[in-house]
Each structure stands twice: as structure tokens, then as C-alpha cells.
Amino acid sequence: LVDFIDQLTKWYVRLNRFRIKGESGLEDALLGLNVLYDVLTTMSQIMAPFTPFFSEYLYQHLRKLHPNFGSTDASVAVDSFGRSDSVHYLMLPVPDESRMNRRAEAR
């Protein structure tokens, strides 16, 4: 886990810092931030069984940025990301086959 976070900050954040700051346009900045958010939220769910306190800390901060946070809409499931009170009430994420890069997997 520590190695993954180290690699994430060394490579993704450092290489995309100007993009994330918005120097290449607002759309590009939002895309870079959304990718980082998606990686961190998925990581908090996957690592919850192994690092419960760290994952819960990360989830509690990230959920405040999710549109489901504080939702009282009955159509939003109680155990959905952002609305759930704890990362431990969430199911593990299901892989999205449309996002798979077959060439990268083949390497």
C-alpha cells in the first residue's frame, strides 16, 4: 500500500501537476482530478479489509466530494458510495470491462 501511494504521488501527481492545476484548460484539469479521485476511492474500497483505519479515514474525506453525500433521495441506495456511513458497508468495486486496455494487459 505504501509503495502504491508512493508510486501514485511520484508518477501520476508529479507528471500531471500542471494539468491538475488547470494550466492546459479547465476540462483537462477536471479529467486529471477525476482520474485521481477514482483511483483513491477505488483504493479505499479495495484496501478496507487490510488497512481498515486508513481506508476509513480516506473514505470519510473523499465521500464529502461525492454527489451522493448527504443525499436523502430514496432512489439512492443507502450502501452507495458517498451516502454510506462507512467504507466497510460498501461492496467491492466490480471491474468495468470497457475501461480495460488489452494492449497494456498483454505486456
Side-chain angles (χ1 to χ4, degrees):
L1 176 65
V2 174
D3 186 47
F4 174 76
I5 294 171
D6 188 46
Q7 292 296 320
L8 181 67
T9 57
K10 278 185 182 169
W11 293 106
Y12 186 78
V13 176
R14 281 189 189 171
L15 291 174
N16 290 294
R17 77 176 127 216
F18 298 115
R19 178 184 184 197
I20 290 172
K21 287 180 182 179
E23 292 182 14
S24 59
L26 180 61
E27 278 187 48
D28 206 29
L30 290 175
L31 180 63
L33 287 169
N34 281 332
V35 168
L36 183 60
Y37 181 80
D38 191 43
V39 167
L40 291 173
T41 56
T42 303
M43 183 187 75
S44 73
Q45 288 176 282
I46 292 172
M47 293 306 297
F50 309 107
T51 57
F53 299 109
F54 175 71
S55 296
E56 186 67 30
Y57 177 82
L58 190 61
Y59 173 76
Q60 291 302 326
H61 284 52
L62 292 173
R63 75 185 279 242
K64 295 173 188 173
L65 303 172
H66 199 277
N68 290 342
F69 180 68
S71 176
T72 57
D73 186 4
S75 66
V76 177
V78 177
D79 62 348
S80 64
F81 194 93
R83 186 157 182 210
S84 177
D85 290 334
S86 173
V87 72
H88 302 288
Y89 297 151
L90 300 172
M91 297 298 290
L92 289 175
V94 178
D96 182 1
E97 295 291 327
S98 68
R99 298 168 85 181
M100 300 288 181
N101 184 338
R102 299 296 175 209
R103 277 188 17 207
E105 281 184 349
R107 289 185 184 181

